[in-house]
Amino acid sequence: MSVADYARECAAQGLRGDYSVCRADFTVAQGYDYSADEQAVWRTLCDRQTKLTRKLAHHSYLDGVAALGLLDQIPDFGAVSKKLRKLTGWEIVAVPGLIPAAPFFDHLAHRRFPVTNWLRTRQELDYIVEPDMFHDFFGHVPALTQPVFADFMQIYGEKAEDVIALGGDEMITRLYWYTAEYGLMQEAGQPLKAFGAGLMSSFTELQFAVESRDAHHVAFDLETVMRTGYEIDKFQRAYFVLPSFDALRDVFQTADMAGIVGRNKGKPALDPATV
């Protein structure tokens, strides 16, 4: 699909980003012209969420926030990219919102993380349907300061298209969902913590996922993760728990993806409540 066709499709769907100014790789200029109210919304979101992340987030995420400095004002993508490049070789590219899978994977494969250039309104503090700058930046970017997780994300971008070509498009999406978006971590002898962006940017689900006795915690297994369905409009019915980022990177790097897809293609997704 061309950029122009995608822009028309997004406009028809009512997505709020300005897709008409996308470059060929679906990036746009950040356009740092945010209003005083938008800056206030950013600080409100960060102040409220930081009270939780200090207690419930994995130390790798907190270290990333400290290294990048994201809390005082809406981040300048270029300035943050300079810091991120020195740490892990990654950079931030601005996008108008959701972009097609192929350019998204290509950006990841080249250590570029797409971040939406607009912010939710004050009326959307608790929930927003589309991913906005707060989700993308506050949620995803801090973990990219961690070398092993940064490596995993690049490998994911490199392998995703091949997995899709095998017929595993839903499977590779589930892996991203249950790690980069909703992943938990419990290192040996340490309490359970969260690192996934969907949790980092959610005031209510972060508390549920880590602290609630009703949250269903499952030890991470790559093939099980890739077989397990998920929902986008409610709390997850399963949260997969990693022992380390090294375990995630290493198992994905060495996995027989063709075998996993071949064994499971065409089968119904596993119910997350029963894994």
Side-chain angles (χ1 to χ4, degrees):
M1 179 182 295
S2 71
V3 173
D5 288 342
Y6 190 79
R8 284 192 289 271
E9 183 177 293
C10 290
Q13 293 175 10
L15 300 183
R16 71 182 78 180
D18 186 0
Y19 289 84
S20 67
V21 295
C22 281
R23 306 180 184 104
D25 62 357
F26 288 86
T27 63
V28 296
Q30 182 186 6
Y32 201 98
D33 54 358
Y34 304 104
S35 67
D37 187 61
E38 287 172 312
Q39 295 284 2
V41 168
W42 178 265
R43 289 191 297 272
T44 297
L45 287 165
C46 290
D47 289 347
R48 184 176 73 162
Q49 200 67 10
T50 299
K51 292 176 183 177
L52 294 179
T53 57
R54 285 173 178 161
K55 179 175 64 169
L56 302 177
H58 188 255
H59 66 80
S60 59
Y61 173 87
L62 299 176
D63 292 345
V65 171
L68 298 176
L70 306 177
L71 306 180
D72 294 335
Q73 62 182 7
I74 293 174
D76 179 279
F77 292 9
V80 173
S81 289
K82 288 181 181 179
K83 297 178 182 179
L84 197 53
R85 286 189 201 102
K86 292 179 180 178
L87 293 168
T88 59
W90 278 76
E91 63 181 301
I92 307 305
V93 293
V95 293
L98 293 169
I99 64 173
F104 179 73
F105 297 143
D106 185 69
H107 283 306
L108 296 188
H110 291 89
R111 293 195 176 233
R112 300 186 299 259
F113 193 81
V115 175
T116 302
N117 68 344
W118 54 266
L119 184 65
R120 70 189 69 185
T121 66
R122 193 172 296 278
Q123 289 70 42
E124 298 169 307
L125 294 180
D126 291 327
Y127 178 74
I128 186 169
V129 176
E130 301 172 59
D132 73 330
M133 187 193 312
F134 182 70
H135 169 80
D136 289 346
F137 222 121
F138 188 90
H140 282 287
V141 173
L144 293 173
T145 65
Q146 306 304 303
V148 178
F149 185 72
D151 288 347
F152 163 74
M153 291 291 280
Q154 180 181 13
I155 296 166
Y156 181 92
E158 292 170 343
K159 286 192 171 192
E161 286 287 359
D162 291 338
V163 176
I164 290 172
L166 293 168
D169 49 336
E170 292 183 346
M171 296 180 216
I172 198 67
T173 300
R174 292 168 190 149
L175 176 61
Y176 190 90
W177 186 264
Y178 281 121
T179 56
E181 292 289 356
Y182 289 95
L184 299 179
M185 181 92 73
Q186 188 162 27
E187 296 172 308
Q190 298 298 315
L192 181 69
K193 299 290 183 179
F195 70 89
L199 298 175
M200 294 299 96
S201 60
S202 171
F203 186 74
T204 52
E205 190 164 4
L206 175 57
Q207 297 174 81
F208 174 80
V210 178
E211 296 184 316
S212 175
R213 293 183 179 180
D214 293 328
H216 180 37
H217 297 147
V218 185
F220 183 88
D221 173 78
L222 180 66
E223 188 161 349
T224 302
V225 167
M226 295 180 70
R227 295 178 61 200
T228 303
Y230 63 86
E231 291 111 352
I232 62 173
D233 58 352
K234 59 187 70 173
F235 286 3
Q236 300 307 300
R237 291 187 291 135
Y239 298 95
F240 288 90
V241 183
L242 285 162
S244 67
F245 284 143
D246 296 82
L248 173 63
R249 179 196 60 189
D250 295 349
V251 72
F252 185 54
Q253 192 168 34
T254 60
D256 175 13
M257 301 307 293
I260 292 174
V261 173
R263 286 190 294 274
N264 298 290
K265 185 167 60 175
K267 293 181 179 179
L270 296 178
D271 183 344
T274 61
V275 294

